[in-house]
Amino acid sequence: MKRTIITLACAMIAPIAFAQTSTTTTEQTTTTAPATTTETTTTYSAGTVTTYEPGKTIVVKSEQGPVSFALGTAARIVDGAGKIVTAPLRSGQKVRVYYTGAGDTRVVERVQVEE
């Protein structure tokens, strides 16, 4: 009987005694992308409005001749104080067209009315 009790006790203790512990290692890595610099230059063209189609195009007659600009949804028309102008531009009005890009890729940022 003692032998049976000892055998059962050993059978119950053996899995605990020989149990393996597992270790989980987590490694955290951080990668940093190289810094990229994008430089945009805003220039302007001053002159008088020849043609204006709201939301589409504006043609300004400057010292270099007529220059056409495409107006996007982000382009805004402001006065000298920076306040939004709600009245449509008319032919003969003096303006400054601030834009980025060159040639066919000119993007109008704002049109400043000088009158």
Side-chain angles (χ1 to χ4, degrees), residues 47-52 59 61 89-95 115:
T48 57
V49 176
T50 305
T51 309
Y52 173 67
V59 178
K61 183 178 179 185
L89 296 175
R90 59 187 189 283
S91 185
Q93 237 176 340
K94 292 188 180 201
V95 294
E115 286 183 3

Side-chain angles (χ1 to χ4, degrees), residues 4-47:
T4 308
I5 294 175
I6 292 175
T7 305
L8 285 174
C10 287
M12 293 175 80
I13 295 174
I16 298 170
F18 294 109
Q20 294 181 354
T21 59
S22 64
T23 304
T24 304
T25 305
T26 304
E27 183 177 324
Q28 183 178 5
T29 58
T30 305
T31 58
T32 305
T36 57
T37 305
T38 304
E39 188 175 313
T40 57
T41 304
T42 302
T43 54
Y44 72 89
S45 179

Side-chain angles (χ1 to χ4, degrees), residues 69-98:
F69 300 94
L71 296 171
T73 56
R76 59 192 191 280
I77 301 171
V78 297
D79 61 10
K83 295 180 181 176
I84 302 285
V85 174
T86 56
L89 296 175
R90 59 187 189 283
S91 185
Q93 237 176 340
K94 292 188 180 201
V95 294
R96 280 189 182 186
V97 179
Y98 291 86

Side-chain angles (χ1 to χ4, degrees), residues 59-70:
V59 178
V60 176
K61 183 178 179 185
S62 64
E63 293 176 359
Q64 294 83 20
V67 183
S68 179
F69 300 94

